[in-house]
Amino acid sequence: MRAMRCPVMGKEGRMPPVDRMGPVSTRERSVVLDALRGLALFGICLANFPEFSLYTFQSPEVVSAMPTAGIDRVVRFLQYVFIDGKFYSLFSLLFGIGFSIMMSHSMEKGRDGIAVFYRRMGLLALIGLLHLMLLWSGDILLLYALAGLLLPLFRNVPDRKLLAIAAALVFCPVLMDALKVFSGYRFDLAAPVGGAVRYFNGLSGITDANFGRWLVDGEHYSDVLKFTLSGAFIRVQELLESNRVFKVLGLFLLGLYVGRNGIYANLERRRTLLKRVCRCGFLAGLPLSFLYAAHALHLLGGGPVAGAFLYAVSVIPLSLAYVSVFCLWFLRRKDAPLFRALAAPGRMALTNYIGQSVLGIVLFYGIGFRLGARLGLAQVELVAASVFLFQALFSRVWLKFCLFGPLEWGWRMLTYGKRLRLFRKTPSFPGRKAAPFNK
């Protein structure tokens, strides 16, 4: 009988035997991938909380008058160097790896993996839309779901061509910004969205004068909804202006390459590759990230084309360097507590991502503790780190009793159309063998 070709096969025409590729066990592979998700969540929390706290929206006069203004300038520069863009890039890479794993598992079980994946993306789009409209206008899930719908189109593309397409997509924003500049900004996909932003801001009474304090001055959830309604269009405008979909899809494809070649499952044999990526990523990405930060803070000349180019050559390499050094450390210290501490929130990535929005509202908005527009950037980042620490502890306790995070449980049940057990038959306490976790 002629063998059926797997949707995520490599160029050899067969799926890598991931369970026999090296000394890293199935459970260890789960830990390293989940720990990387946890690391990405931590970085995303640090990146997003300056907006949740409304610090980003304050005028230069307000920012300069804060007691921590001096240290805040240093923190802001370092945030652009080490955080901005790096962790959503890591999250995007893991998304592509997850797609390859899902496809291979579906083929092994004789399922229609594409249909299951599209259902999963449809549900993720719904979750992202609700998150965008009801909680926070900085949502990324809707974009992930829409860009993810394109992934099956690339499942049979050969490896070299896949990497070439991924690289082209990462640099595509440079071309798009160049076309915008050379056309005198007549070629601007985000321009039509600006009208919708002005309309809904006018409808709600949101102005430039009260924009930075609207959410902290509002005493009712209806005020939050007014802001997120216009904020949703601001988000669309931002994504179009930054050409984010090209970057995200490019990283998805890079993750697909990593996943279908079993690189995550064969870290020991890939040690040389990891060292090379780590070395090149830091040597190129770190100095260029300083230039990117200087450009973003208007300390360095150049227009949007220069900014897009610096982003592509700094953010992606440094993000890959983070992944590589993390995996090399894992190979040396597989039993280090940090990996399992990060793996717990990583296994509940959807729940914790939405949870960060809920906690941000409670801490900073007028319907909560009203800390918004009062804290400097250094203080905000300390709050963000504390929020993630809380989530890590909560996730660890939750997973002692449950097989999935609450949102992951509902998402999985709706995807597969069947009821799944949530609670473990025997609580998983340290020193006691845990009930199996179905990835």
Side-chain angles (χ1 to χ4, degrees), residues 113-132:
I114 302 299
V116 172
F117 179 74
Y118 279 137
R119 278 202 303 275
R120 190 172 177 84
M121 290 301 98
L123 291 166
L124 184 63
L126 177 60
I127 294 170
L129 182 62
L130 293 174
H131 182 227
L132 179 73

Side-chain angles (χ1 to χ4, degrees), residues 43-73:
I44 287 170
C45 192
L46 293 176
N48 287 346
F49 263 55
E51 291 199 12
F52 272 121
S53 69
L54 311 179
Y55 176 87
T56 303
F57 306 131
Q58 302 311 304
S59 67
E61 294 76 21
V62 171
V63 169
S64 299
M66 289 182 172
T68 57
I71 188 65
D72 288 344
R73 283 192 289 270

Side-chain angles (χ1 to χ4, degrees), residues 99-357:
F99 169 73
S100 72
I101 294 173
M102 186 176 182
M103 290 294 99
S104 63
H105 285 184
S106 295
M107 289 296 294
E108 289 171 5
K109 297 178 181 179
R111 293 174 178 161
D112 183 357
I114 302 299
V116 172
F117 179 74
Y118 279 137
R119 278 202 303 275
R120 190 172 177 84
M121 290 301 98
L123 291 166
L124 184 63
L126 177 60
I127 294 170
L129 182 62
L130 293 174
H131 182 227
L132 179 73
M133 301 303 297
L134 302 180
L135 292 177
W136 188 50
S137 54
D139 171 77
I140 195 70
L141 299 178
L142 182 57
L143 175 62
Y144 272 28
L146 296 178
L149 294 174
L150 301 174
L151 268 176
L153 301 177
F154 299 92
R155 66 190 186 278
N156 292 325
V157 174
D159 284 349
R160 288 187 178 180
K161 187 177 290 186
L162 190 71
L163 289 176
I165 295 172
L169 286 167
V170 168
F171 281 95
C172 195
V174 182
L175 175 61
M176 298 293 288
D177 280 347
L179 289 174
K180 188 191 306 181
V181 171
F182 292 136
S183 69
Y185 289 87
R186 290 189 297 273
F187 181 76
D188 187 358
L189 298 177
V193 186
V197 173
R198 290 188 292 273
Y199 172 77
F200 285 107
N201 278 347
L203 201 64
S204 302
I206 301 173
T207 65
D208 291 341
N210 63 23
F211 188 86
R213 292 198 56 86
W214 179 272
L215 290 169
V216 73
D217 289 338
E219 298 180 350
H220 305 286
Y221 179 63
S222 60
D223 296 315
V224 176
L225 290 179
K226 290 176 183 177
F227 194 90
T228 56
L229 178 60
S230 62
F233 289 96
I234 294 175
R235 180 60 169 169
V236 173
Q237 189 176 31
E238 290 174 348
L239 294 176
L240 290 174
E241 286 177 346
S242 64
N243 301 294
R244 182 74 65 89
V245 65
F246 297 109
K247 305 170 191 175
V248 166
L249 184 57
L251 288 161
F252 282 2
L253 296 185
L254 183 58
L256 173 57
Y257 170 84
V258 171
R260 76 182 185 183
N261 285 279
I263 294 175
Y264 69 93
N266 193 15
L267 296 180
E268 188 62 52
R269 290 187 189 176
R270 303 285 185 167
R271 188 187 290 268
T272 302
L273 173 63
L274 291 171
K275 288 181 178 179
R276 187 181 303 123
V277 172
C278 181
R279 183 167 56 252
C280 294
F282 279 118
L283 286 176
L286 194 55
L288 289 170
S289 288
F290 277 90
L291 291 178
Y292 165 69
H295 181 273
L297 294 173
H298 308 291
L299 303 175
L300 184 69
V305 179
F309 177 77
L310 285 172
Y311 188 100
V313 297
S314 65
V315 170
I316 308 302
L318 193 53
S319 179
L320 294 177
Y322 288 172
V323 175
S324 300
V325 74
F326 191 88
C327 291
L328 287 169
W329 187 17
F330 178 79
L331 286 175
R332 293 186 62 185
R333 296 287 305 277
K334 294 175 183 176
D335 295 328
L338 175 65
F339 295 112
R340 297 191 182 275
L342 288 172
R347 282 173 59 183
M348 296 170 51
L350 178 62
T351 296
N352 284 314
Y353 177 73
I354 301 295
Q356 288 175 7
S357 298

Side-chain angles (χ1 to χ4, degrees), residues 355-386:
Q356 288 175 7
S357 298
V358 174
L359 291 171
I361 289 173
V362 171
L363 289 171
F364 297 112
Y365 291 4
I367 59 175
F369 291 103
R370 308 174 72 95
L371 295 178
R374 294 172 54 188
L375 302 181
L377 185 57
Q379 295 169 310
V380 169
E381 296 295 46
L382 287 175
V383 172
S386 301

